[in-house]
Amino acid sequence: MRVDVVTIFPEYLEPLNVSLVGKARARGQLDVRVHDLRRWTHDRHHTVDDTPYGGGPGMVMKPEPWGEALDDIIASGAPAAPGEPPARPVLVVPTPSGVPFTQTLAVELSARPWLIFAPARYEGIDRRVIEEYGEHLDVYEVSIGDYVLAGGEAAVLVITEAVARLLPGVLGNAESHRDDSFAPGAMADLLEGPVYTKPPEWRGRGIPEVLLSGHHGKIARWRRDEAFRRTARNRPDLIERCDPAALDKHDRALLAELGWEQRPDGRFGRTAGVVEE
Ligand code: 6GU
């Protein structure tokens, strides 16, 4: 996969040289190119922003540098094979007003051969840039959560790491993503429960007996119970959304014990008046 990032803070993307993403780059699984947007300015001050039409606080990123940068980068996409059309990148625009970035979107992006990130600083990029490139490319405006950052660069790091670890061969077997919280499959939409390693006793604290039992069935059941407990506590919205058909008798009994009841539509909701310990 090729990833281009256009930013006024190229140094902010240095972490892409480290850890999982850095290793994927070193192995040739990921081709990351970071570009300084100011390269595509023509005035002495390398101006990338201006005041907003209609007034209001803050500054807006000018369309011309973005247009020239994106045109050059898109044109640099060599045909996959002689005679073939050049690869068509996806444009990812991190913004707090975008659609939520989820594991589903990470999976979708990981299937694309080429992503171009356009992280904005200030109040955002002139809307005409998104409209213009939306005519020819798939454009995703994406938010990484309900809080406001000073710019989209941190979101580029987040999205790139979430996508890169899904690329074939990037994760070793030991770190398989099959059991990830939010991964599609058996444990879908449950948070992962607690984990333990040696020593068997640390500062007087032991390991849950069942994990030492060697009984794989009981261990799986215990892990699923812990996943439900943690999800009910930290993300009750996930319990409310979960498909009741995905739950077995034991799951239902545990949820009842935790103060959840099945509503007439089959969905789960907190039992009125039950206080969590
Ligand atoms: Cl993608 N950008 C900014 N500036 N703030 C955010 C965000 C993105 N996602 C959540 N907050």
Side-chain angles (χ1 to χ4, degrees):
M1 170 182 277
R2 174 172 167 185
V3 172
D4 288 84
V5 186
V6 184
T7 172
I8 57 168
F9 291 120
E11 0 33 297
Y12 208 118
L13 284 302
E14 280 293 308
L16 296 177
N17 292 316
V18 179
S19 189
L20 175 129
V21 173
K23 281 181 202 152
R25 293 174 76 176
R27 288 194 210 108
Q29 293 159 329
L30 197 58
D31 172 12
V32 178
R33 307 181 195 184
V34 178
H35 313 269
D36 187 343
L37 178 66
R38 295 193 199 275
R39 211 181 104 197
W40 287 279
T41 57
H42 303 288
D43 64 309
R44 277 206 310 132
H45 301 289
H46 304 287
T47 310
V48 294
D49 62 338
D50 206 337
T51 54
Y53 274 120
M59 298 292 270
V60 175
M61 295 192 97
K62 294 165 64 59
E64 303 97 319
W66 280 106
E68 289 187 34
L70 293 172
D71 285 352
D72 278 358
I73 291 165
I74 293 165
S76 76
E84 299 247 319
R88 204 160 57 97
V90 171
L91 182 61
V92 182
V93 182
T95 163
S97 39
V99 300
F101 183 62
T102 60
Q103 190 64 21
T104 301
L105 186 47
V107 169
E108 208 170 303
L109 294 178
S110 74
R112 301 302 196 101
W114 185 6
L115 311 179
I116 302 179
F117 286 100
R121 288 268 144 179
Y122 315 114
E123 299 300 312
I125 303 173
D126 187 300
R127 190 69 210 166
R128 293 169 291 183
V129 175
I130 285 85
E131 287 171 8
E132 168 88 355
Y133 290 92
E135 303 242 344
H136 309 285
L137 305 179
D138 290 334
V139 177
Y140 292 77
E141 292 182 276
V142 179
S143 162
I144 61 165
D146 293 341
Y147 41 80
V148 179
L149 303 170
E153 283 78 6
V156 173
L157 297 177
V158 167
I159 296 167
T160 301
E161 184 162 317
V163 168
R165 63 188 288 287
L166 297 173
L167 298 176
V170 168
L171 278 196
N173 268 346
E175 332 160 66
S176 156
H177 36 75
R178 193 194 55 234
D179 301 333
D180 289 350
S181 293
F182 308 109
M187 298 288 271
D189 295 334
L190 285 185
L191 304 183
E192 285 174 52
V195 294
Y196 301 87
T197 186
K198 270 82 65 190
E201 191 176 308
W202 179 76
R203 298 192 180 179
R205 298 165 188 274
I207 304 296
E209 279 281 328
V210 63
L211 297 180
L212 307 169
S213 70
H215 192 301
H216 299 302
K218 282 189 183 159
I219 292 170
R221 185 76 256 174
W222 180 84
R223 287 194 169 138
R224 189 167 169 89
D225 287 358
E226 290 303 308
F228 268 105
R229 289 181 195 282
R230 194 177 268 196
T231 307
R233 178 174 292 266
N234 292 349
R235 292 293 304 277
D237 59 306
L238 295 181
I239 301 289
E240 279 159 15
R241 258 198 268 145
C242 92
D243 176 9
L247 305 190
D248 63 24
K249 235 170 57 187
H250 187 105
D251 299 332
R252 290 167 209 281
L254 175 62
L255 280 180
E257 201 182 297
L258 295 176
W260 292 77
E261 66 187 355
Q262 228 168 340
R263 301 224 168 95
D265 68 354
R267 299 273 163 191
F268 284 88
R270 275 252 166 72
T271 308
V274 172
V275 179
E276 225 185 298
E277 301 133 56

